[in-house]
Amino acid sequence: MTKIEPLGAIRERVTADLRQEIIAGSLRPGDRLVERELAERFGVSRVPVREAIRALVAEGFVHFETPRRTVVRRLTPTDVKELFELREALEVYAAGLAASRATPEDLAEVQELVDRAATATEAGDAEVITDVNSRLHDRIMAMAGNSLLTEALEPVAGRLRWMTRRNEEWPQLLVEHRELYEAIASGDPDRARAHALTHVRTNYRSTVRHLFGEEAP
């Protein structure tokens, strides 16, 4: 017998695939999402596609230009500024907590991610770089040992990944991540917070430059 995929699983799969296409740039800002076309492409009914689009609207990836026209969202300088302000508030604090709470096993995992980022950077593999760097930041948040911090950042994590995917200054990112790891591994919360703050602000300037061709204020 053919196994029938539950509607919820189909919705999650379509949502994840569309989200990844937006992050990777296959679907670009301003591109229209048409239910019928997407249903045909994914081989599903229009119901899970409609629900996936609504989920992506809630996540900030797409928006309704009109009741009948849905497009990939065009990020504005204000969008980027607000998201990085949130990231600065949460990630800098988390880095300090991670420095005081990280176990040897935690640090070994972060070191492995930095090593993988180095390999991907040398190969110029954008997808792996984006994935590993996102996992590195997730791991630092987890090392902070505060579930509320993680929950506060979770709703915008996808949009942050979307923005930073546009930043292709990969060797610089690798240097910053190495320094951040070393600061956390030192066990000095002040040093960890200082490096995290520098990293977030440098990444903000790079992201603005790559998205809008201008310098951040």
Side-chain angles (χ1 to χ4, degrees), residues 86-167:
L86 177 63
R87 183 180 172 190
E88 181 176 311
L90 299 181
E91 290 193 11
V92 172
Y93 184 61
L97 291 178
S100 63
R101 297 175 177 176
T103 66
E105 292 76 18
D106 290 330
L107 295 173
E109 288 184 28
V110 176
Q111 177 67 74
E112 181 183 356
L113 289 170
V114 172
D115 292 342
R116 290 182 60 190
T119 301
T121 299
E122 185 176 352
D125 191 328
E127 294 304 316
V128 174
I129 291 170
T130 302
D131 178 63
V132 172
N133 286 345
S134 295
R135 290 175 60 190
L136 185 148
H137 281 282
D138 290 346
R139 193 73 201 96
I140 292 173
M141 291 295 292
M143 286 160 56
N146 187 314
S147 60
L148 292 179
L149 274 177
T150 303
E151 291 173 8
L153 194 58
E154 187 174 357
V156 298
R159 268 184 288 169
L160 281 170
R161 187 178 183 187
W162 181 24
M163 289 181 189
T164 54
R165 173 65 177 80
R166 308 275 78 76
N167 176 9

Side-chain angles (χ1 to χ4, degrees), residues 10-28 31-35 37-39 41-42 44 46 48-57 59 61-62 70 72 162:
I10 297 173
R11 180 189 64 244
E12 292 300 318
R13 173 167 57 84
V14 173
T15 302
D17 288 348
L18 287 174
R19 184 192 300 113
Q20 183 55 37
E21 288 182 17
I22 294 171
I23 291 172
S26 302
L27 286 171
R28 302 180 63 81
D31 283 354
R32 188 179 180 187
L33 302 182
V34 181
E35 284 184 14
E37 295 175 357
L38 292 173
R41 177 152 72 87
F42 287 111
V44 299
R46 294 175 63 169
V49 171
R50 186 177 306 123
E51 293 178 351
I53 288 174
R54 288 173 179 166
L56 293 173
V57 169
E59 292 179 20
F61 284 99
V62 304
T70 308
V72 177
W162 181 24

